[in-house]
Amino acid sequence: MSSKSEPAHRFRRANLLHIPESDLLCKNGCGFYGNPAWQGYCSKCHKELYQKSKHSNVPELKSKYSRRSPSQTSGESPDSSFLTFSKFEEKKRHQSEKRAKTIKSIIKRTSTFKEAAAHSGWKEQRHMSFESQKVNRDFGEFLKTLREPAAQDVKKHIHVLIDRVQKYTDRSIDEASELIQDFYQAVGERFETHPAFQGASPDQVEQLMNFTEKYLMTRLYKVLFGQISTEDEEKDLAIQKRIRSLNWVTAEHLGSDIDDKHPEVRDLIDKAITDIIEMDSKRAPQDKLSCIVRCSQNIFNILHVCHGGPASADEFLPALVFIVLKANPPLLQSNIKYITQFSNPSRLMSGEGGYYFTNLCCAVAFIENLTAESLNLSQDEFNRYLSGEAVPPGGYEQNAFLCEGLRLMYQNLAALSDLRQRHDKLMAEALSLREDMNKFKDTITKEVDLVLAKTPLIIQPYKIPPDIDLKVLPSVIREHVLQDRASSTWPTDVLLTEATLVDIENDQIAGQQAVEDSGCPLSASDIFIKQASSLKPKPEKVTHVLLEPSTTGTVETFHKVGEYSLDLGEFPHSHFVQM
Amino acid sequence: MAGSRSHSFKVVLLGEGCVGKTSLVLRYVENKFNDKHFSTLQASFLNKKLNIAGKRVSLAIWDTAGQERFHALGPIYYRDSNGAILVYDVTDEDSFQKVKTWVKELRKMLGNDVCLCIAGNKIDLEKDRAVSLEEADSYATSVGAKHFLTSAKLNRGIEELFVDLAKRMIEIAESSDEHRVNSLGRGSNPRRNVVIVDDEPQQQKTGCCGG
């Protein structure tokens, strides 16, 4: 009863603190010490309470206790000779009550019997292990897919057999095996021939056979496997001891080229080991076999990583021996015997599972009969390794890596050093980036300086464009020019600019105007000359106006005007006129 | 059960390491040689389905470890097998001697019910031949086996070998079936009895089993 141990535990903890004595007394107040194991009552009170509660007579019980306690407290001082008549009377009452209760309890008991009978079915269900319940459900589900008479038939047969096996526990394993093997055969034939199974497809029959085996063996596992493992306990221990004494054997000794330092291989080795150890926890033979198959597939994955291409038995068997040696699976011999005795023989005969199982048997046989010769060692070496006197080279590391904690440590160390390297690299790169940035800054500064030195910015006085016909000016600037003209003096040196020309060209109206003036089409240069001839000196302030960046693009053209005027300034005034 | 229409046989593959067991069986099952793209990770347990004269045959080919150190394990492998293919390398006299020891073992363990095929592999290396054809042939007939010359590399003789083996296994299986039918009265009665005992409490079932 776990509920008992829990308060006991609490008590032990509580004992560390100081607790008043009153807390240690029987809860019933009878004056004796109570015990957590008896729910805080003294042994006597608890016993009575327990017996009463068994008959679910709690309320009456309480009243009885309340009566009992004063008698007990008086009993605490027996030498006080206080045995009064009242006490005697109470005792009598007590006894008569007791008698009444026995009769009551007899009546009660019959009812509890009935209840027990009603609950027995439920109890059996509860006693079934988790696996049995699961297989029970699955099997039930599957049977639903079958026709009713077939399902009934299968169920009936299986239950008869389960009863038979469970009842006669004193029969030997071989007899039980024969019984079950005969059952497989009979059921197999029945599924083929019996009219109830006529409608089933071959697939369904196969599934049915599988489920029958699984259900049967899961239910009978405890009885049968228990018997095997007791009978073969010595064999199990012997192989376990043998494997332990061979813990120094490396893959190399076995002629296998498994590279157990490779991280991927290591993971796969772990998986294979887990699979083969898991075998012991399964119940049905086919589940045990599928563990072996999974283990074998992992071994093939290992071999694939190690040397690619499909592996043959020449490579597989040594690898399997290696895995078995490293795994040291529990109850190996018992499991093998169980599978051999209780699996459907067709499974062991032909299927993939059968093949790998055979290989496992071979591996075990090999380990049992392992000699110095089979490991390519001298007898002397072999003996020394076996006795633990010496450790073969590499053997220590190999086993160290098989220790989970150490391996984790190595992995973490590797991860850390990798992280450190990456961090260093990152820092180095950051530094070189900073250097590059500095260098870049320097070169840019230098280049800019150089360019500045080569092309000094000399602001030359602008040659002010002459007063031009306002008509050819874009309307935006026109105002400025007018303003300036009104309030300024004229510079002496006046030049005509080409930009004016451009503006003229752009301005068609201006062109047309010119045509009208002369009466015949004029070339740009004609206009140029014409206008140049009508030039008037322009006020100096105009320069200022033109340089100022303004909102419109047209002013920018005027800015250019200023530049052009620089170039044109080379030409003497007279040239223009001649043109 | 339904033995007349479909058969499934277990065939063990025996041979020293390096005689080309794996290549032989991979050539047969996948028709590839030294290919990087085998669809299987393993060449130790392979299934092949055949159709011989309208009979469906399923071969489970069990490879065995050929190393000397595993020699003693042979009987575990070839227990209950219907056929055996013994492979030797025509350029390697030792591998042929090894075949002889296996044949002896097989005959001792399985009697005459097992069909034997001896395959002299690597005939593409004809010029290095070390085992003479006559010797191998006469030895094979002396032990009731069939001798084939094969080359996994050139895909020679392999199909023939398996087909012939399958045919012979069918023969044996069918003749033993007949045998069993003839001696049915004695052969399967003990089992039947057990079943009937099984069902005795339920009367109707006894009837079903009997019929």
Side-chain angles (χ1 to χ4, degrees), chain A residues 463 495-499 528 561 563-572 576:
Chain A
K463 304 283 170 20
L495 264 177
L496 182 71
T497 67
E498 210 173 40
F528 188 48
V561 166
E563 277 176 14
Y564 280 122
S565 70
L566 285 176
D567 297 337
L568 288 169
E570 250 81 69
F571 295 99
F576 279 86

Side-chain angles (χ1 to χ4, degrees), chain B residues 115-146:
Chain B
C115 298
L116 303 183
C117 267
I118 299 175
N121 197 25
K122 306 196 187 177
I123 50 162
D124 45 295
L125 304 172
E126 182 66 43
K127 59 181 191 325
D128 298 323
R129 181 191 273 277
V131 182
S132 82
L133 181 60
E134 295 76 32
E135 189 197 342
D137 266 342
S138 66
Y139 172 74
T141 35
S142 76
V143 294
K146 271 219 167 172

